[in-house]
Amino acid sequence: MRVNLMDFDEIFEEYFDRIYYKVLGGVKNPEDAEDISQEVFMSVYRNLKSFRSESNIYTWIYKIAINKIY
């Protein structure tokens, strides 16, 4: 999947819920999960140009999420 900034809305729509529930499983608090998920997608937006498409976009977003949890 080739991505660019124009695709951010699609990426957000496609993956936000999945990331939110993964984060919620890690932090066990809905408000914290919402905040962290928003931070994840802010990072995705800022760094989307650097995504190299060597892996699946979800894998990249998931790794960002795990780093934010810690």
Side-chain angles (χ1 to χ4, degrees):
M1 172 183 195
R2 197 113 168 92
V3 294
N4 60 46
L5 290 177
M6 299 301 288
D7 296 322
F8 177 76
D9 290 340
E10 294 172 32
I11 292 167
F12 182 85
E13 287 293 317
E14 177 81 18
Y15 299 111
F16 184 84
D17 288 345
R18 287 173 65 186
I19 293 299
Y20 169 79
Y21 287 109
K22 290 288 184 184
V23 171
L24 181 59
V27 299
K28 310 289 191 233
N29 179 293
E31 291 82 16
D32 289 342
E34 182 76 24
D35 290 345
I36 292 169
S37 297
Q38 289 176 4
E39 288 178 22
V40 167
F41 282 91
M42 287 171 36
S43 291
V44 168
Y45 182 78
R46 284 192 301 267
N47 296 296
L48 196 54
K49 288 189 276 187
S50 68
F51 177 67
R52 296 179 301 217
S53 299
E54 294 173 359
S55 65
N56 182 288
I57 187 82
Y58 176 74
T59 304
W60 181 66
I61 297 169
Y62 179 80
K63 183 169 180 164
I64 294 169
I66 294 303
N67 288 335
K68 295 282 183 190
I69 289 170
Y70 293 117

